[in-house]
Amino acid sequence: MKRIGLLAAVLVIVLSSAVFAYESDRYNFGDIDFQGATVTVVAHFDNLEAFYEGGARAGRLEEAKALFNIGDIQIVTAGWDEVGELALNRYLSGDSQYDLWRLPHIAYFSLATRGAFYPVNEILPPEYFETLSPITREKNERLIFDGNMFHFSVGTPDDYGHAPFAVVNLDMFEREGLPDPYELYENGEWNWKIVEEIGRQVTRDTDGDGVVDQWALAFIDPMFMIFSNGGAITRLGDDGRVYYALDEPQAINALRKLGEWENVLGISYGDWQMREFITGRTAIGIMPMWQIDATQYEFKHGILPLPMGDDVDDYVFSPGVADAIFLPRNAAYPLGLIALDNFLFPLEDYYETMEDYIRARAFDRTSYEVLNRGVSEVDGDAAYYHNFLGAWWEGETPYGGVIMGIKGGGVASTIVNEFKPQGQAMIDEYLKQ
């Protein structure tokens, strides 16, 4: 009887000690114990919604709190363009010791340069980072700051949701007698030249009122033109410095082509909301994956890569920009916070969610293949866009000034050279290089 009692006591001790031991699909964290602390998630929307009652991951928050001895997990939100400032203020005030920050790309360098991010490479081994998604691995290679890495999570669909693609109106292609877009893609002929030919054929007044109401392309985000030609806005050099890259031939040629399409040929029209494409008035819409929404289309659609630019010999799959989850530099329990993130957002769920995301947008085999290529064959140079040089519509900035100059009919090389000194100076000052 005494022996049974002793065994039972030992079993209780073992089970108790195992309550906080955690090995994820990425790393063996060992014993994790928050000792009742409250964890705060900072985001620009409620990214814990799936964990609430009725959600796809309902109950997981409670499991996490029990497993890691967490008092509570709460969320604090602010607008997309304000959440970075909220996170920084929490860091400066000392309120962020148990924070997980889910931030948009626009906040990355504004916080990195203030020393607000925890360098996770200091506590995680190299093999941990090898388990992350291709896009996150590229971010870690291209968005190193002061020799450190800050990306450790796969907990955001924006990791792949910003990857840009060309969505084609298959009904218009057939009605207008255009070449089969899938054959163009498979033959390596889906390029700027064919887009121009399509533009000349379909861009016109269709109802006789004297106003053009059909185009080849809806709004084109200028950075997608640059990426599709192998260009970049900023480039990470072999010496570890960041350089203003809009003066590279690939970028200048992309800007020149953008000006031709918008100002000379008039084959592109609209704004980022893609209304012209959604309503069936353009043959092509170039947009990030998150914006592809078949429920809005009253036509058959297909998905292709960005049309190949003149200076590349293969399709460029750019991640565009991407949101991510970070730790604050003053994190009181960084390993525990990373373990919590791994538990809430396991790799298996990430890839299952991505598969669902792709299937909701791809209605044929080629589109499915293209979307999968887009999230696995990521071009790293394109990943180094972080728009601290300004948004394209901000004409006083080193990036926006160039784009607005192009849209105003300016000469690409002249405008780029005009803004290059300002751009490089801003990079050097901002990144303290």
Side-chain angles (χ1 to χ4, degrees):
M1 180 68 70
K2 287 183 178 180
R3 185 177 179 185
I4 293 174
L6 179 61
L7 287 173
V10 170
L11 182 60
V12 168
I13 293 172
V14 170
L15 289 175
S16 297
S17 66
V19 167
F20 309 119
Y22 176 58
E23 181 175 0
S24 77
D25 48 12
R26 280 164 274 174
Y27 188 63
N28 186 351
F29 290 92
D31 290 349
I32 299 295
D33 187 354
F34 278 80
Q35 299 181 0
T38 293
V39 173
T40 300
V41 177
V42 176
H44 68 278
F45 69 101
D46 190 347
N47 71 318
L48 301 180
E49 189 174 3
F51 302 114
Y52 303 152
E53 184 177 353
R57 300 170 184 169
R60 191 173 295 181
L61 286 180
E62 297 305 317
E63 292 176 22
K65 288 191 282 187
L67 179 63
F68 300 135
N69 190 21
I70 297 171
D72 195 13
I73 300 175
Q74 61 184 16
I75 186 159
V76 176
T77 61
W80 180 85
D81 56 349
E82 300 171 340
V83 69
E85 184 177 355
L86 170 63
L88 180 61
N89 288 338
R90 289 180 61 83
Y91 167 69
L92 294 175
S93 66
D95 294 334
S96 60
Q97 290 185 318
Y98 289 94
D99 278 7
L100 279 169
W101 291 343
R102 197 277 192 203
L103 301 177
H105 60 276
I106 194 172
Y108 177 79
F109 272 98
S110 62
L111 273 75
T113 55
R114 299 292 293 272
F117 290 141
Y118 190 95
V120 292
N121 53 290
E122 290 185 357
I123 59 173
L124 294 172
E127 52 267 26
Y128 174 92
F129 299 100
E130 293 171 3
T131 68
L132 298 175
S133 71
I135 291 178
T136 302
R137 292 200 301 270
E138 289 293 341
K139 284 190 292 184
N140 273 327
E141 287 187 20
R142 299 288 168 171
L143 297 178
I144 289 174
F145 184 78
D146 200 20
N148 289 308
M149 292 190 294
F150 309 107
H151 304 94
F152 62 88
S153 175
V154 295
T156 164
D158 289 85
D159 194 38
Y160 47 82
H162 282 283
F165 298 90
V167 187
V168 295
N169 181 333
L170 295 174
D171 288 351
M172 183 182 290
F173 267 72
E174 182 177 358
R175 184 178 69 245
E176 296 287 342
L178 300 173
D180 185 323
Y182 293 148
E183 289 184 6
L184 293 172
Y185 159 65
E186 291 164 359
N187 294 334
E189 297 172 346
W190 178 244
N191 53 35
W192 286 355
K193 180 181 178 181
I194 195 68
V195 169
E196 282 193 17
E197 291 177 3
I198 291 170
R200 294 177 190 278
Q201 182 170 338
V202 306
T203 303
R204 64 178 186 274
D205 169 19
T206 64
D207 58 12
D209 66 355
V211 179
V212 174
D213 53 21
Q214 179 174 281
W215 301 266
L217 293 141
F219 166 79
I220 308 172
D221 190 312
M223 71 174 177
F224 296 159
M225 283 292 289
I226 294 168
F227 293 158
S228 71
N229 200 39
I233 298 165
T234 58
R235 184 85 72 182
L236 180 63
D238 293 336
D239 58 0
R241 292 170 61 87
V242 178
Y243 293 93
Y244 187 76
L246 288 178
D247 62 336
E248 295 177 350
Q250 305 97 308
I252 288 178
N253 289 338
L255 293 169
R256 184 183 299 121
K257 186 61 66 176
L258 178 67
E260 290 177 7
W261 287 0
E262 292 191 352
N263 301 327
V264 180
L265 298 178
I267 62 174
S268 170
Y269 182 80
D271 61 29
W272 70 271
Q273 297 177 82
M274 294 288 166
R275 286 178 293 234
E276 288 71 24
F277 180 75
I278 292 170
T279 56
R281 291 183 288 156
T282 71
I284 306 163
I286 295 177
M287 64 190 79
M289 190 173 5
W290 68 263
Q291 202 172 7
I292 303 173
D293 184 359
T295 64
Q296 299 186 70
Y297 311 151
E298 296 185 358
F299 50 83
K300 291 185 296 182
H301 78 283
I303 301 170
L304 298 180
L306 300 178
M308 255 190 290
D310 294 339
D311 297 320
V312 294
D313 56 12
D314 200 359
Y315 302 109
V316 175
F317 291 98
S318 158
V321 292
D323 298 5
I325 295 177
F326 303 92
L327 299 183
R329 187 66 180 90
N330 65 341
Y333 194 17
L335 191 65
L337 289 165
I338 295 171
L340 172 61
D341 172 84
N342 276 227
F343 180 80
L344 293 178
F345 304 104
L347 276 172
E348 181 181 4
D349 280 12
Y350 171 86
Y351 285 113
E352 285 182 1
T353 302
M354 185 169 68
E355 176 71 11
D356 292 342
Y357 205 85
I358 289 173
R359 287 184 178 277
R361 289 157 175 79
F363 284 68
D364 56 66
R365 173 185 267 175
T366 301
S367 297
Y368 179 79
E369 173 198 321
V370 168
L371 288 171
N372 273 285
R373 287 188 67 186
V375 298
S376 59
E377 300 177 20
V378 183
D379 180 86
D381 287 328
Y384 207 75
Y385 175 67
H386 35 68
N387 78 335
F388 66 81
L389 293 182
W392 69 260
W393 59 86
E394 296 174 328
E396 74 285 358
T397 65
Y399 176 57
V402 169
I403 301 306
M404 295 308 291
I406 295 296
K407 288 178 175 291
V411 177
S413 58
T414 301
I415 297 171
V416 167
N417 288 329
E418 177 186 342
F419 280 92
K420 180 180 179 180
Q422 178 189 348
Q424 190 60 54
M426 187 173 176
I427 292 170
D428 293 342
E429 179 181 2
Y430 204 81
L431 303 185
K432 301 176 178 62
Q433 60 180 19

